[in-house]
Amino acid sequence: MDGSENLASLLRRGGDADERLRTIGELARECGVTLRAMRFYEAKGLLKPRREGTARLYDAENRRRLEIVLRAKKVGFSLVEIRDLLGLAFGREAVERRLAILRDNLTRQTRRLEEQRVETELALAAIGEEVAAVDRLAGV
């Protein structure tokens, strides 16, 4: 997966014509994730493969679900937020409504990350002061 598709297009897009089923290994390779990650996402209910014996088979909907998970993870959404996005993507909401909800979520995430950046910068400044104090006391 080249990661070029954004969340808006993933939420807007309908079902894929690709009816080919993929094994867990095939889908993991195509999307650049580990088998462990695939099993984790399945355990959290984010992926819903078909089972044939012990084999997990993933259809186009599951591929789209995984693409949404990976893109949402990249922008820092939590698993709960990702689950909500998946509900939105595969729900009955009109496309315009989906995009408006996504925009609200992205705006909220932007604010959250900006706040974290400020906190991180303050923590780094405090650490710098502490290192300088240690150096002064140690005669460095």
Side-chain angles (χ1 to χ4, degrees), residues 55-73:
R56 294 173 174 91
L57 298 175
Y58 297 85
D59 58 12
E61 179 180 306
N62 274 288
R63 182 183 168 96
R64 182 170 160 224
R65 293 175 77 84
L66 181 58
E67 290 172 341
I68 291 169
V69 168
L70 296 175
R71 188 67 186 179
K73 190 175 142 218

Side-chain angles (χ1 to χ4, degrees), residues 12-30:
R12 188 168 189 240
R13 178 166 36 116
D16 292 332
D18 181 4
E19 293 299 321
R20 187 171 70 87
L21 295 176
R22 294 160 175 84
T23 65
I24 189 171
E26 289 170 332
L27 187 57
R29 270 189 304 283
E30 285 178 19

Side-chain angles (χ1 to χ4, degrees), residues 120-140:
T120 300
E121 289 170 356
L122 291 171
L124 287 170
I127 289 170
E129 292 168 8
E130 294 299 328
V131 168
V134 168
D135 289 348
R136 279 192 306 277
L137 290 173
V140 176

